[in-house]
Amino acid sequence: MRHRILGGTGIEVSTHCLGTMMFGSAGNPDHEDSIRIIHTALDHGINFVDTADMYSAGESEEIVGKALQGRRDDVVLATKVHFPMGEGPNRGGNSRRWIVREVEASLKRLRTDWIDLYQIHRPDHRTDIEETLSALTDLVRQGKIRAFGSSAFPAHETVEAYHVARQRGLYRFRTEQPPYNILARGIEGDVLPTAQRLGLGVLTYSPLGWGFLTGRYRKGRHVDLAQGRAARAPERFDPSIPVNAAKLDVVEELVKLADEIGCTLPALAIAFAASHPAVTSVILGPRTMEQLEGLLKGASLVLDDSVLDRIDELVPPGTNIYHPVGLWSPAPLIDPALRRRPVGDRAAAS
């Protein structure tokens, strides 16, 4: 497994990262089976494992903690904080109060004394970014984390955090974790160039586009909206919805392309993400051993310029066929009050 430097940290990580969102009650509830999957990934040269406190309400971290017993020193371990971990106020977000409390809970679940990469899972517009960076800087100085990063941050907030860190003498984000795949290339226009300019490592998630790039969903085939992921979010899979029909049209052409070069569609998708010069590591999120083994088979696939040009023709650089799950949306697009003046102040003349 090839290794790349994680941002400016000097830490070497495998080009494939094992994502563990599917371990626990939200995916694979069998702890022993999940541990075997983690060990198989490590045995194949993956040294980078990514989890989060909110994956299966902490269960994923517990599984990872058990799996890394005796192997912790050889693994670059990443986890995240932000989403609520219980009822009531102040049990989520990016405040110093919550970060300092929740890092201890993650360390306990992970059975480790330190976290290599601690990531802010989403922006929190209720909390001043200086508050967040100050708390994270203190954790680095205490030795509880080695470095920290962000996830699904828009480019302008990444730049803001960079300048606040410089102005206040704080440590800065070293990584960004955005969604990125052939069907969702929007971050090529701003997030990835910004990461390159600031020297950030990039861990991309959702390389298979919520399952559309596995080949499981094909044009003209029935989609059971009562099973699996489709049951949780039928609006993302119903082929009668135009955006989903557009995804299926592109998938048909990608299947042909994969067949021409003699690889699977998932292998093509993951190799595409790893080909971008800003991308450090591509997160694989298997639920089963079979899925992991299938993804590992394509680890040595190299896409030449002619193949990447074909992909560019199908989905132009910097464009999205669909809006990726978890991608940040500007607050004014969500809250009408932020884009509408009071009624009495809207006219140009009184």
Side-chain angles (χ1 to χ4, degrees), residues 7 10 25 32 46 94 173 176 179 181 184 234-235 242 281 284 332-333 338:
S25 59
E32 292 306 315
I46 290 177
N94 302 344
F173 287 138
E176 162 60 13
N181 60 67
E235 72 281 359
S281 191
L284 314 180
L333 298 184
L338 296 178

Side-chain angles (χ1 to χ4, degrees), residues 60-316:
S60 174
E61 285 187 329
E62 292 174 357
I63 292 170
V64 171
K66 289 189 286 186
L68 297 187
Q69 293 302 291
R71 307 184 72 160
R72 177 67 185 91
D73 287 343
D74 298 321
V75 173
V76 178
L77 179 59
T79 191
K80 299 183 277 296
V81 62
H82 167 79
F83 287 103
M85 291 292 288
E87 299 294 332
N90 300 314
R91 294 183 61 82
N94 302 344
S95 69
R96 170 181 285 273
R97 184 181 192 275
W98 179 244
I99 290 171
V100 169
R101 175 177 175 180
E102 187 58 12
V103 73
E104 298 293 345
S106 286
L107 288 168
K108 183 176 180 180
R109 288 189 292 261
L110 290 166
R111 303 186 184 189
T112 185
D113 294 327
W114 82 97
I115 294 164
D116 294 292
L117 178 64
Y118 200 46
Q119 300 159 98
I120 300 301
H121 212 153
R122 292 291 186 273
D124 177 6
H125 300 123
R126 305 168 306 168
T127 306
D128 192 304
I129 189 63
E130 182 180 353
E131 168 93 356
T132 301
L133 293 174
S134 175
L136 293 169
T137 297
D138 286 347
L139 292 179
V140 173
R141 290 170 175 164
Q142 293 165 13
K144 294 179 180 179
I145 65 176
R146 300 295 189 251
F148 55 84
S150 58
S151 177
F153 270 49
H156 74 269
E157 293 206 21
T158 299
V159 172
E160 179 189 4
Y162 173 81
H163 286 295
V164 169
R166 292 191 64 184
Q167 292 165 2
R168 299 292 187 264
L170 302 171
Y171 293 168
R172 63 187 180 92
F173 287 138
R174 288 295 186 177
T175 62
E176 162 60 13
Q177 184 179 140
Y180 181 54
N181 60 67
I182 295 174
L183 301 176
R185 303 182 61 177
I187 65 170
E188 292 174 342
D190 52 10
V191 171
L192 294 184
T194 297
Q196 287 178 290
R197 287 195 295 272
L198 299 182
L200 301 181
V202 176
L203 302 64
T204 62
Y205 70 87
S206 194
L208 301 181
W210 255 58
F212 274 84
L213 296 176
T214 64
R216 178 180 178 183
Y217 305 101
R218 300 287 298 276
K219 188 175 182 179
R221 295 183 185 177
H222 173 69
V223 177
D224 187 351
L225 299 178
Q227 297 290 329
R229 287 188 173 187
R232 297 200 298 271
E235 72 281 359
R236 296 186 177 275
F237 295 89
D238 186 344
S240 68
I241 297 176
V243 67
N244 296 329
K247 287 188 284 188
L248 293 172
D249 286 340
V250 174
V251 165
E252 290 304 308
E253 296 303 315
L254 291 173
V255 168
K256 295 176 185 177
L257 178 58
D259 288 342
E260 288 178 21
I261 65 176
C263 72
T264 65
L265 179 56
L268 175 71
I270 292 170
F272 166 82
S275 297
H276 196 286
V279 174
T280 308
S281 191
V282 179
I283 298 174
L284 314 180
R287 180 176 54 83
T288 67
M289 184 70 77
E290 181 182 12
Q291 290 174 351
L292 174 65
E293 292 173 344
L295 295 173
L296 290 173
K297 287 179 180 178
S300 60
L301 177 65
V302 176
L303 304 183
D304 61 29
D305 287 344
S306 64
V307 173
L308 294 174
D309 288 343
R310 292 273 297 279
I311 293 174
D312 287 349
E313 292 171 1
L314 294 171
V315 183

